[in-house]
Amino acid sequence: MPSPVIEPLLILQDRDTKRLALEAQLKAVPGDIARVEQKIAAEKAAIETARLEARELESKKKLIETEIGSTGDKLARYNTQQSLVKKNDEYQALGHQIETAQKEINEFEGQELEVMYAIDEAKNKFTAAEATLKANISGHESRIKLLREREVSLAAELKTAQAAVAAAREPVSETNRRIYDRIAARNMPAVVALHDVKCGGCHLKVSSEVESAARGKGLDVAGQLATCDQCGRIVYWES
Ligand SMILES: [Zn+2]
């Protein structure tokens, strides 16, 4: 049994540990929510990217169609002119222009086909991205809802835990409370048992003075605490 000085400290430490765990869990919730929100945003962005891509390709297609139209007009004009000219060299020059215009049209048509394939691809991407969001959104939303509920219940649990800590501090003397707080701020657990003369916190051997103090020999009525030579934790003898 731990000494009457150590016992309330162990109770305080136990409650403090619970409080710290709750605090850590509560602190993690906003980050968890943000991660889910980021997933939703990323899925929405994928839809928007595919939509914009399809739209850009559609306007590119329209531009090519305009080019095909105007080159076609040019071709028709050359054909008419060619049917009217008498001189052979003029006929040949127009024939050359007709050939060039026809080549241009073929090229534009090839481009148009490529764009049309790309539009199909972009539309497929859009559909797939939309399906992904649709499939995941309810999961994402219920996860966020769950996290928000968890945040509320953790906050309530933390309040209870804080009250329990406050109650556990009462039976500890002011001096010991101060020692405990100082150690707990940097090293939890702050109160550890000695195992084979080794500190339960840092696992290093303590001096014989600390050992005998922990055993309660020479412990004054004020209940002076034995602390580890190495890490400074409060050590006690578990008999
Ligand atoms: Zn130690």
Side-chain angles (χ1 to χ4, degrees), residues 138-153:
S138 69
H140 289 332
E141 277 166 359
S142 56
R143 174 99 185 108
I144 288 174
K145 193 170 165 263
L146 215 72
L147 284 165
R148 293 209 193 286
E149 284 166 5
R150 185 173 154 74
E151 198 170 30
V152 173
S153 70

Side-chain angles (χ1 to χ4, degrees), residues 192 199-204 206 228-233 235:
V192 292
C199 163
C202 68
H203 308 293
L204 293 169
V206 295
C228 170
D229 313 272
Q230 314 296 336
C231 69
R233 285 182 174 92
V235 287

